[in-house]
Amino acid sequence: MPYFWLLLFFAVPFLIALKISFAKAAIAMPPYTDVLYWVDGFPVVKLRGENYLYLLGDSLYINAYLSSLKIAVVSTFLCLLLGYPMAYSISRMAPATRNIALLLVILPSWTSFLIRIYAWVGILKPNGLINNYLMYLGLIDSPLKMLHTPIAVYIGIVYAYLPFMVLPLYTNLVKHDHRLLEAASDLGAKPWQAFLKVTLPLSKAGIIAGCMLVAIPAVGEFVIPEMLGGPETLMIGRVLWQEFFNNRDWPVASAVAMVMLALLIIPIMIFHRAQAKEMEGKLT
Amino acid sequence: MTSAITSTPIPAATPGGKPDKRGVDDYLVIDTVRKEFDGFVAVDDVSINIRKGEIFALLGASGCGKSTLLRCLAGFEKPTAGRIVLAGADVTDLPPYLRPINMMFQSYALFPHLTVEQNIAFGLKQDGMAKEPCQRRVDEMLNLVQMSKFAKRKPHQLSGGQQQRVALARSLAKSPKLLLLDEPMGALDKKLRSQMQLELVNIIETLGVTCVMVTHDQEEAMTMANRIAVMEAGRFRQIGSPDEIYEQPNSRYTAEFIGSVNLFEGKIDKDEKDFVTIACPTLPDPIYVAHGVTGFTGMDVAFALRPEKMQISKTEPAEPHNKAHGIIEDIAYFGDHSVYHIRLDRGTKVMCNFVNQQRWASEGFTWNDPVWISWGDLEGVVLTS
Amino acid sequence: MSNATRTSKWSWLFLGFGFFFLYAPMLSLIVYSFNENRLVTVWSGFSTKWYGALMQDDQMLAAAWVSLRIAFYTACASVVLGTMAAMVMTRMRGFRGKTLFSGMITAPLVMPEVITGLSLLLLFVSLSTWTGLDFARGMTTIWVAHVTLCMAFVTVVISSRLAELDRSLEEAAMDLGANRVKVFFLITLPIISPALMSGWLLAFTLSLDDLVLASFVSGPSSTTLPMQVFSSARMGVSPKINALATILIVGVSTIGVIGWYFMERAERRRQAEMQAAAKQ
C-alpha cells in the first residue's frame, strides 16, 4: 500500500510533469496543449522540444541554474565549516550534556522554517537590529544594505539548513571509537594529525549525507531567495515559481523542473546509496 | 514375564488421547534434512533419531550449520528437503506458532515491555488459556526457576542469570514436546556458567522434556548433554555420548575438535588379529596397539593420543615399546596440572599433561630437561579417516 | 585528559557561536513581539497588544485551523503508511521493484519542494481531465501532498528503529504461538512505539511548516497558516507575525523539551535499574 501511494503520488507525477514539459502553453484550463493525439484511432505523440530550446536560448535560465548551484555549493561548504566543529564537540561531550546540546540543535528545525527566515528580515533590513546597533555604536552613518543581497541568501540557507548538517555528522562521529585517537597519539600522531588521518576519513559517510541533505534542497530553494534575496538573486526555484504562478506557463515550468531534476539526480543517487548503506550496516 | 515384554516401551500418550504409534527411541526424527541458502548448503542431508527425554547437543564451530538445523526444528527456516517428525506427527510444514516446540533464545529474547509474569504467560495466552489456570501455571513455572520474588519486574531489572531463568520458564510454560536451547550459556560469564549448566539440566530432567541444544562450547555440551553430535560443514561427523566422543573419536576432525590431542601419522606395519603396529616416521619405534583394527598392512592411519594419557619420566621406561625421547621446550602451568611441550628427537612436538598432585613436585621438570614419554598399549586410538 | 580539556575550549567557542547563530534570530522575534511600536525593530515599550490583534485576525485563525487539521491527518496517515513501508524495507528481502521503492522513499527527503509541488499539481489536474471527476484542489490535495513528503521522513525514523530491533524477539513470540499479525501488534508495535511517537510529531511539524507544496496544490478555499504568514510577510514585517512566531516557537519548544525530559528520565531510570540488577 505505501508502495502504491508513492507510485501514484510521487513517481507518476514526475512522468506527467515530464510529459507536460513537452507540451505548448495554451490559454485554456488546464493551460497546455495535449501531447497525445488520437488520429483515426491511432495515438500520435507530438513532442515539442521548444520549451527546452527556450530554456537554452534565454540566458536568464542558464544563469539561474548556475547561480543556484553556486549558492548551494557555497552555503553547503559554509554549513560544513560551522557544522563539523559543532557536531564534533557535541559527540565528545558527556552523554547527559550531549543530549541537551543535541536537543538544542534539533529544536529550531521543529519551529517554522518560514518564521525563522522571517526573523532574519527583521535583523538585516535597513532599520533592522544590526544596522540600528551599528549606528548606535557610531560605526556607520547610514544603514548598510544587507537585506535583498546574495549575502542575506547565504546567511538564510546556512541558518535554515545547519541542523541538517549537524545531525548526520553527529550520528556518524558519535559512533567513533575514542580509542582509535588514543592509538594514533600512542603511535606518535599530534592531535591535528590524528584528526586529519583518523577522524576525518572515518566521518566521510556523515559528511556526504550532511552535504547532500543541505545542497540538494538548497538548489531548489524558493522561500529564502524570495524573502531575503534581491531581484538580482536568481535561483531556479524562484524562476520556476514565477513561471508557474505569475506567467502561468505550465509547460515551461515543467521543463525548468525537469532540467533541475536532471541536475540533481546524481547527488540524489549518491545520497540514496549512503542512506542504503547506513541501513544495511544496521541490519547486519 | 510376558507382561514385562508387552509393557515396554510404554506408549506415550499425546494430548489428543491417541497413543503414540512411535517408539521412545524415535521421538524426534530428523530425516535427511537439507537446507540451502542461494546455493550454499548449510545443512547437508542430516538424519538422526532422538529419544524421548534425551538432552541432545549439536556441537560445532560457528558456521557449521548447527544453528540452521535448530532453526529448522523451530520452524524459522523451512528445510529445502527432508522431513522432521515429532512424536509421530510431521511438523516440517508447520509454521513456528503451530509447532509444539519452544525455544530458549541465545540472548533470551525476553519481551522488554512485559513483566516477568507477562513474559511467561505470553505463550499460554496465545493458546487462549483462561486467566486462572494461566496464572496458576505461571506461578508454578516461577517456582520451578525460583523467580517468584521477581514476578512483577521488567527484564532489564534482572541480572543475566535471572533473565536466563525467566527465559527457561517461558519456554517451558507451554509444556512443549521439544525444548530447543540456542547457546544457552552464551550470555553468561564463566563462573555463573558452570552453576547454571547443572541447574538447567536438573530442571529439564525433572520435567523429562526432550531437549536439543546448540553450542560451540565443548565443555558445555559434555556437562549437559546425554548425546552429542559433532557437526562440520553441514554434516554430522560423529554422534555419541560425551565419553565416546572424547575417548573414541572416529576421525582426525573430532579428535582435534574435542580437547587436545597428539596425532602421529603413519602406516600399518603389522596387522594381526589381536594387535597392530604402526610405523611412524616421527617416532623411533613402531607404535604397538593391543587390539585389532579394520584395515590392511600399509594403510595410512593416524594414531591419536590425548596429552593426559602419557607418562613423563627422567629415566627410560622398562616397556619394550610406546616410548620416545625428547626435550622439554615449553611448560604451561595451569595450577591443577601442567602441560609440557616436548620436542622429540625426530623433531615433532608433543603435548603431555602432568597432574600437579604434590605442592612441591619431587620430579621437578624444567626447561630443556631431557625426558622420556610413554603410554599404555590401549591408551591411543587408531584413526582411519 | 589534557587533550580533552584543550579541545573543549575550542568546542565551547564553536558551540557558543553556533547556538548563538541558531537562537539569536528566534529570540529577537520573541522580544520584539512584546514591542508596543508598530515598527518592529524600534523599541518603545512593553505591550501584549499584538497578541490581541492576532486573536482578532480571522483570516489568520482560519488558516491556523486549516493547518492544524491537515497536520493532524497527515501525521496519522504518515505514521501508518511509514510503518508499513519501514516493515517492507527492513523485513522483506529482494522483491521486485525494491530498488525503485527504496529510491522513492529517500528521494522526497531531499527533492526540492518546488519540483514535488509542481508534479503533484499536474497529477491532480491530469486526474481530473482523465477521469472526468473533479479533484477539487483544497485540503484533501494538500493532505495527499504532505503525506507523500512526511511519509518518507517517518519511514526513515521507523526503519532505523526496526533495524536495531532484535529479530529474535519476534521469533520468540512466534515460537510461543503468536502468528505474524499478533507478533506485529503484541511485540513489534509496542517496542517501537517511541519511534512511532517521534515520527508522528515529526510529520505533524513538517506539515504545519510547509509552504511550497501547499501553495502549489491548494485551492482558493484552503489557505494554510504558512501561506497566510508568507503573504503578509511579503508585504513587510508586521508585529502580528512576531506574536504568532512567538506562540509557535514557545509551543513547539515546550512540547519538545517536555518530550525530551520524559524520555531522558525514563532512560536514566532504566540504566540505574540495569546496574542495580547486574549487582544482585
Side-chain angles (χ1 to χ4, degrees):
Chain A
M1 198 165 129
Y3 189 63
F4 288 109
W5 181 284
L6 282 177
L7 210 58
L8 180 60
F9 294 123
F10 196 73
V12 173
F14 283 124
L15 298 178
I16 293 173
L18 184 67
K19 187 195 101 173
I20 289 167
S21 72
F22 286 107
K24 186 172 181 259
I27 300 168
M29 189 63 214
Y32 52 86
T33 61
D34 233 328
V35 172
L36 200 74
Y37 298 96
W38 292 89
V39 178
D40 304 330
F42 289 102
V44 174
V45 178
K46 191 171 179 194
L47 293 179
R48 292 164 180 268
E50 57 200 43
N51 295 319
Y52 291 95
L53 290 176
Y54 175 62
L55 290 191
L56 271 178
D58 194 334
S59 64
L60 168 86
Y61 296 99
I62 294 173
N63 287 342
Y65 281 117
L66 290 179
S67 93
S68 291
L69 283 179
K70 190 186 116 199
I71 290 173
V73 168
V74 172
S75 33
T76 303
F77 183 70
L78 292 175
C79 255
L80 183 64
L81 225 51
L82 181 58
Y84 199 99
M86 284 180 76
Y88 186 75
S89 312
I90 295 173
S91 74
R92 296 277 299 264
M93 285 176 167
T97 24
R98 188 197 285 166
N99 284 339
I100 297 176
L102 206 57
L103 179 75
L104 286 177
V105 172
I106 302 173
L107 209 54
S109 65
W110 286 350
T111 54
S112 171
F113 175 79
L114 189 61
I115 276 170
R116 284 184 299 139
I117 296 305
Y118 165 77
W120 279 100
V121 178
I123 293 173
L124 296 175
K125 66 182 185 170
N127 61 346
L129 278 179
I130 293 182
N131 274 322
N132 282 358
Y133 187 65
L134 289 178
M135 275 158 72
Y136 169 78
L137 289 179
L139 288 172
I140 48 171
D141 303 324
S142 57
L144 294 174
K145 184 175 164 57
M146 285 178 290
L147 192 65
H148 306 310
T149 62
I151 293 176
V153 175
Y154 286 122
I155 292 178
I157 293 181
V158 172
Y159 176 68
Y161 287 97
L162 187 61
F164 296 106
M165 178 62 89
V166 176
L167 277 186
L169 283 174
Y170 165 80
T171 359
N172 179 286
L173 286 168
V174 79
K175 282 185 285 190
H176 286 197
D177 189 345
H178 192 71
R179 282 169 301 181
L180 290 178
L181 285 182
E182 287 174 354
S185 75
D186 181 62
L187 294 168
K190 294 194 179 67
W192 60 271
Q193 284 175 320
F195 175 79
L196 281 182
K197 293 242 158 86
V198 179
T199 309
L200 207 55
L202 281 176
S203 55
K204 206 179 94 187
I207 295 176
I208 292 179
C211 287
M212 294 299 143
L213 222 46
V214 173
I216 302 171
V219 169
E221 187 52 59
F222 163 71
V223 176
I224 296 172
E226 181 70 20
M227 288 182 71
L228 300 179
E232 80 282 5
T233 326
L234 273 177
M235 281 193 80
I236 201 63
R238 214 172 159 195
V239 170
L240 189 152
W241 185 283
Q242 278 158 1
E243 224 33 271
F244 186 85
F245 285 103
N246 304 355
N247 303 349
R248 296 194 59 82
D249 192 338
W250 291 19
V252 168
S254 302
V256 169
M258 284 304 117
V259 173
M260 197 195 316
L261 193 61
L263 281 178
L264 294 178
I265 197 83
I266 289 167
I268 288 176
M269 270 157 70
I270 294 174
F271 174 74
H272 174 63
R273 266 187 47 192
Q275 189 82 8
K277 229 184 246 172
E278 178 86 347
M279 276 294 156
E280 260 159 45
K282 272 182 183 160
L283 280 177
T284 47
Chain B
M1 296 312 284
T2 42
S3 63
I5 294 162
T6 47
S7 66
T8 48
I10 307 154
T14 49
K18 262 193 302 181
D20 196 338
K21 286 185 292 252
R22 297 257 170 172
V24 172
D25 277 347
D26 46 8
Y27 186 68
L28 171 67
V29 178
I30 298 173
D31 183 15
T32 51
V33 165
R34 180 180 190 80
K35 178 68 191 175
E36 292 175 17
F37 294 107
D38 303 323
F40 168 76
V41 183
V43 177
D44 192 357
D45 295 338
V46 158
S47 295
I48 179 79
N49 289 2
I50 289 168
R51 286 190 290 274
K52 193 169 194 267
E54 186 175 23
I55 301 179
F56 189 88
L58 299 169
L59 175 63
S62 63
C64 71
K66 57 186 192 309
S67 298
T68 309
L69 182 56
L70 194 78
R71 291 173 62 80
C72 285
L73 291 176
F76 301 133
E77 305 287 353
K78 200 181 166 339
T80 315
R83 311 306 304 171
I84 295 165
V85 181
L86 177 63
D90 190 328
V91 297
T92 321
D93 298 319
L94 289 183
Y97 47 87
L98 294 179
R99 296 188 185 202
I101 298 173
N102 288 129
M103 176 147 153
M104 192 175 100
F105 286 77
Q106 183 172 8
S107 47
Y108 314 135
L110 296 176
F111 307 132
H113 58 300
L114 303 179
T115 62
V116 166
E117 247 178 353
Q118 289 168 328
N119 261 282
I120 297 174
F122 186 89
L124 302 170
K125 279 192 190 153
Q126 297 312 310
D127 287 356
M129 194 188 251
K131 211 172 173 189
E132 223 165 272
C134 178
Q135 187 59 45
R136 232 179 298 133
R137 180 70 181 157
V138 169
D139 291 340
E140 199 181 314
M141 294 321 292
L142 282 169
N143 251 330
L144 181 75
V145 295
Q146 299 162 12
M147 288 291 291
S148 308
K149 272 197 298 185
F150 303 101
K152 304 284 182 213
R153 288 215 185 169
K154 291 273 181 77
H156 72 266
Q157 296 167 305
L158 303 175
S159 69
Q162 292 167 335
Q163 289 184 14
Q164 194 192 38
R165 286 159 197 257
V166 177
L168 180 68
R170 187 178 71 177
S171 54
L172 288 171
K174 292 178 79 173
S175 318
K177 288 186 180 164
L178 178 65
L179 175 69
L180 305 175
L181 307 176
D182 188 3
E183 300 278 3
M185 304 296 157
L188 296 182
D189 54 48
K190 210 175 170 192
K191 216 165 177 185
L192 201 55
R193 217 175 265 196
S194 48
Q195 178 205 333
M196 287 306 290
Q197 279 169 356
L198 293 175
E199 209 177 304
L200 206 66
V201 171
N202 272 337
I203 291 174
I204 293 169
E205 281 179 348
T206 315
L207 297 177
V209 59
T210 312
C211 174
V212 173
M213 64 183 270
V214 147
T215 179
H216 69 278
D217 180 350
Q218 39 170 302
E219 223 171 275
E220 192 172 301
M222 299 256 207
T223 347
M224 295 178 66
N226 306 122
R227 257 196 317 163
I228 298 172
V230 178
M231 269 188 97
E232 190 232 345
R235 293 175 189 226
F236 291 154
R237 295 303 294 253
Q238 185 168 6
I239 299 163
S241 63
D243 60 304
E244 277 170 356
I245 299 263
Y246 186 77
E247 301 291 359
Q248 298 163 42
N250 63 357
S251 64
R252 291 177 180 86
Y253 181 83
T254 27
E256 287 190 303
F257 184 73
I258 311 284
S260 41
V261 73
N262 298 302
L263 281 181
F264 300 98
E265 301 287 339
K267 282 180 168 35
I268 295 182
D269 186 34
K270 271 186 217 151
D271 184 16
E272 301 292 325
K273 218 170 104 192
D274 53 353
F275 78 92
V276 284
T277 62
I278 301 162
C280 299
T282 52
L283 291 174
D285 308 311
I287 299 166
Y288 178 86
V289 184
H291 58 75
V293 295
T294 45
F296 52 87
T297 309
M299 181 185 183
D300 284 316
V301 292
F303 182 72
L305 189 62
R306 299 280 182 197
E308 75 280 5
K309 301 285 192 291
M310 282 193 255
Q311 281 85 48
I312 178 165
S313 61
K314 284 190 171 166
T315 51
E316 183 170 358
E319 287 86 7
H321 37 243
N322 294 354
K323 60 188 175 184
H325 183 261
I327 299 174
I328 297 181
E329 238 183 24
D330 259 314
I331 305 171
Y333 179 70
F334 288 94
D336 55 345
H337 73 282
S338 298
V339 178
Y340 293 92
H341 293 253
I342 297 160
R343 183 172 295 280
L344 300 182
D345 290 350
R346 292 203 178 177
T348 33
K349 254 171 127 174
V350 295
M351 283 179 294
C352 176
N353 287 8
F354 187 82
V355 178
N356 297 324
Q357 242 166 355
Q358 290 149 329
R359 283 179 68 197
W360 312 106
S362 53
E363 285 199 82
F365 300 110
T366 183
W367 285 271
N368 293 327
D369 275 359
V371 288
W372 284 88
I373 55 163
S374 58
W375 59 93
D377 301 343
L378 290 165
E379 300 305 341
V381 184
V382 181
L383 302 173
T384 52
S385 66
Chain C
M1 279 323 281
S2 65
N3 202 349
T5 44
R6 190 167 50 198
T7 44
S8 77
K9 222 190 310 174
W10 284 100
S11 300
W12 288 116
L13 198 73
F14 271 113
L15 282 178
F17 178 70
F19 284 133
F20 177 76
F21 181 59
L22 283 176
Y23 283 92
M26 281 154 63
L27 283 177
S28 78
L29 274 185
I30 295 175
V31 168
Y32 282 99
S33 75
F34 295 106
N35 187 3
E36 211 240 316
N37 200 315
R38 204 184 154 70
L39 290 167
V40 172
T41 44
V42 180
W43 185 265
S44 62
F46 181 86
S47 158
T48 53
K49 70 175 180 188
W50 300 116
Y51 290 87
L54 184 67
M55 289 305 134
Q56 304 292 312
D57 190 334
D58 289 337
Q59 269 189 321
M60 208 59 118
L61 291 181
W65 178 233
V66 168
S67 271
L68 284 173
R69 273 186 300 168
I70 293 176
F72 178 81
Y73 295 129
T74 300
C76 294
S78 304
V79 166
V80 173
L81 288 173
T83 309
M84 290 200 279
M87 284 298 282
V88 171
M89 293 277 289
T90 51
R91 293 293 184 263
M92 279 163 75
R93 286 176 180 276
F95 61 93
R96 275 174 60 182
K98 180 165 180 177
T99 335
L100 177 68
F101 184 57
S102 68
M104 283 197 300
I105 283 174
T106 42
L109 295 180
V110 288
M111 187 67 72
E113 285 173 318
V114 281
I115 301 185
T116 318
L118 176 72
S119 314
L120 276 168
L121 171 65
L122 296 178
L123 170 80
F124 293 134
V125 171
S126 307
L127 278 182
S128 298
T129 27
W130 286 340
T131 58
L133 295 170
D134 186 27
F135 282 83
R137 281 178 266 149
M139 267 182 68
T140 318
T141 48
I142 299 177
W143 174 74
V144 168
H146 283 185
V147 171
T148 307
L149 174 75
C150 297
M151 178 184 149
F153 284 88
V154 174
T155 306
V156 170
V157 169
I158 293 178
S159 33
S160 72
R161 179 70 194 94
L162 275 178
E164 280 167 11
L165 183 73
D166 185 0
R167 286 299 293 274
S168 64
L169 289 173
E170 292 173 355
E171 284 178 349
M174 214 185 279
D175 183 67
L176 290 166
N179 58 33
R180 281 173 199 285
V181 179
K182 274 185 166 178
V183 170
F184 179 74
F185 284 105
L186 291 176
I187 303 298
T188 317
L189 220 49
I191 294 176
I192 64 166
S193 58
L196 297 183
M197 199 59 218
S198 44
W200 194 93
L201 282 173
L202 181 66
F204 190 82
T205 50
L206 279 173
S207 166
L208 205 56
D209 196 20
D210 168 73
L211 165 71
V212 177
L213 289 184
S215 301
F216 273 101
V217 298
S218 74
S221 62
S222 53
T223 305
T224 64
L225 190 60
M227 286 163 72
Q228 190 68 39
V229 169
F230 183 64
S231 65
S232 49
R234 262 213 280 212
M235 313 267 183
V237 184
S238 137
K240 247 196 289 186
I241 297 182
N242 277 27
L244 176 73
T246 306
I247 293 173
L248 282 178
I249 292 171
V250 171
V252 168
S253 314
T254 316
I255 294 172
V257 171
I258 290 175
W260 170 82
Y261 174 74
F262 277 107
M263 262 155 74
E264 187 73 6
R265 204 180 60 168
E267 180 57 27
R268 212 172 296 158
R269 191 192 300 155
R270 213 180 107 85
Q271 292 291 340
E273 283 172 351
M274 272 168 79
Q275 272 175 11
K279 279 199 197 115
Q280 289 168 6

